[in-house]
Amino acid sequence: MKQVLQDLSYGELAALTAALGEKTFRAKQLYEGLMQGKKISDLPVSAAMRSALLETYEDAPVKIKEVFTSKDGTRKFLFELSDGNLVEGVLMQYRYGNTQCVSTQVGCRMGCKFCASTLGGRVRDLTAGEIIGQILAVNRFAGGTPKDRKVTNVVLMGSGEPFDNYENVVKFLRNVTAEGGICISARNISLSTCGLVPEMRRFSDEGIPLNLTVSLHAVTDEERRRTMPIANRYSIAEILSACDEYFEKTGRRYIFEYSLIEGENADMPHASALSELLKGRPCHVNLIRLNPVKERNLKGTDERTAQAFLKALTERGISATLRRSMGSDIGGACGQLRASYLSEKPSE
Ligand code: SAH
């Protein structure tokens, strides 16, 4: 596999340009072209530079292979990486802008019982450029430019555990927030983790004040272990203390994802235990009804139960919202698209 040019920061591209014996302004052209989502072969650089780059770097490391459009306007993308691996992403339209969900790994090794991304285990990590490449491709597809972006917000909630691919994800975050590039503010980025405590602590010191989101999905360690194997390694208490450290260092409140699973975590005693756990903390709870996954036998709650759960939290002073499930008609849950694609096309 060739290298990924989109891995490089502007400073690194400038050094590469100089090393190729090109004038300084070429670095800017190169960077601007890449940030517009262009292939190397379409970049407005000298022919000599283009062919030098193509020797070492992938022409287009992330290609949109298929696009599915939901009735609610949500678009789901299947991306092909240069080694033929597939990852998926979603573009959701909200009143305030468009949020893109990106993948950080091909597959995942965290083993959550309700998640389709982990069904085949982890295949490999994505590079920083393969993560930003998903955004550049979608922004271009949607008719955006780096100045007039069609992707305004980013969530790292596609396939993969971002903190299991720490270095590449941090590099991606530095590049995507950099001035002069596609420049998406850290405030408009949410990173979701299943709760890798050492990496959460390490991340507190990176100086990237994004929306740190933790997939909680349970109120006791014992119950959490039933659906999330990572709970055997880190306790909820350790997660909460790492979240507090993040708040102290960045001033950003943190968020919990809580997928409502019938018969598992969605009864009224769970709502009151969750409120007790989070009372007084600078946090927000995102509830979502579990999306059924064909390969899993867990079910989401009905709407009424979800509303009752939400009400129980807010009545106890917990900031919470129930997320609309977007694009469920096109396989909205994590890893569903890739999983169904791979099962339909076993030869690939
Ligand atoms: N590995 C990271 C990010 C990827 S998953 C993490 O665990 O947070 C993004 C969110 O979707 C997580 O909160 C995850 O638990 C949740 N999720 C996975 N499968 C789901 C499903 N079938 N229905 C609803 N939410 C799901």
Side-chain angles (χ1 to χ4, degrees), residues 114 157-158 160-161 192-194 215 217 257 259 290-291 293 333-334:
F114 43 77
M157 294 193 189
E161 164 50 45
S192 183
T193 176
C194 63
S215 300
H217 306 322
E257 295 284 322
S259 301
L290 189 84
N291 277 307
V293 178
C334 297

Side-chain angles (χ1 to χ4, degrees), residues 300-328:
T301 59
D302 58 24
E303 179 67 23
R304 208 172 48 94
T305 309
Q307 291 292 353
F309 200 95
L310 173 67
K311 189 157 170 272
L313 293 186
T314 48
E315 276 174 359
R316 289 169 174 81
I318 304 294
S319 158
T321 38
L322 174 62
R323 285 198 307 191
R324 281 177 295 152
S325 178
M326 298 182 81
S328 52

Side-chain angles (χ1 to χ4, degrees), residues 59 100 145 227 310:
D59 192 16
Q100 184 175 350
T145 64
T227 51
L310 173 67

Side-chain angles (χ1 to χ4, degrees), residues 28-165:
K28 195 157 175 278
Q29 284 183 333
L30 185 60
Y31 189 56
E32 283 175 1
L34 291 176
M35 290 298 125
Q36 287 163 16
K38 288 189 175 158
K39 296 198 278 192
I40 295 176
S41 47
D42 293 334
L43 289 175
V45 294
S46 68
M49 185 172 189
R50 196 177 302 122
S51 63
L53 290 174
L54 285 170
E55 257 175 50
T56 314
Y57 297 97
E58 287 296 341
D59 192 16
V62 178
K63 293 196 201 92
I64 295 177
K65 191 173 170 73
E66 286 193 44
V67 184
F68 304 81
T69 305
S70 158
K71 289 195 286 278
D72 62 23
T74 301
R75 284 218 161 95
K76 186 127 191 174
F77 297 87
L78 192 65
F79 301 106
E80 183 170 36
L81 307 177
S82 39
D83 61 358
N85 270 307
L86 302 172
V87 290
E88 58 199 280
V90 188
L91 187 67
M92 291 158 286
Q93 300 175 352
Y94 294 101
R95 256 162 294 144
Y96 55 79
N98 295 327
T99 299
Q100 184 175 350
C101 174
V102 297
S103 292
T104 56
Q105 296 177 314
V106 182
C108 183
R109 58 174 174 169
M110 296 296 124
C112 298
K113 295 278 189 292
F114 43 77
C115 182
S117 294
T118 200
L119 287 168
R122 169 185 163 282
V123 178
R124 74 167 172 87
D125 290 338
L126 298 198
T127 74
E130 287 174 324
I131 306 173
I132 203 170
Q134 296 165 55
I135 298 170
L136 301 176
V138 166
N139 192 48
R140 186 179 175 85
F141 173 89
T145 64
K147 295 223 158 54
D148 176 24
R149 279 183 280 111
K150 297 295 180 215
V151 177
T152 53
N153 299 63
V154 173
V155 297
L156 281 73
M157 294 193 189
S159 70
E161 164 50 45
F163 283 160
D164 189 36
N165 182 16

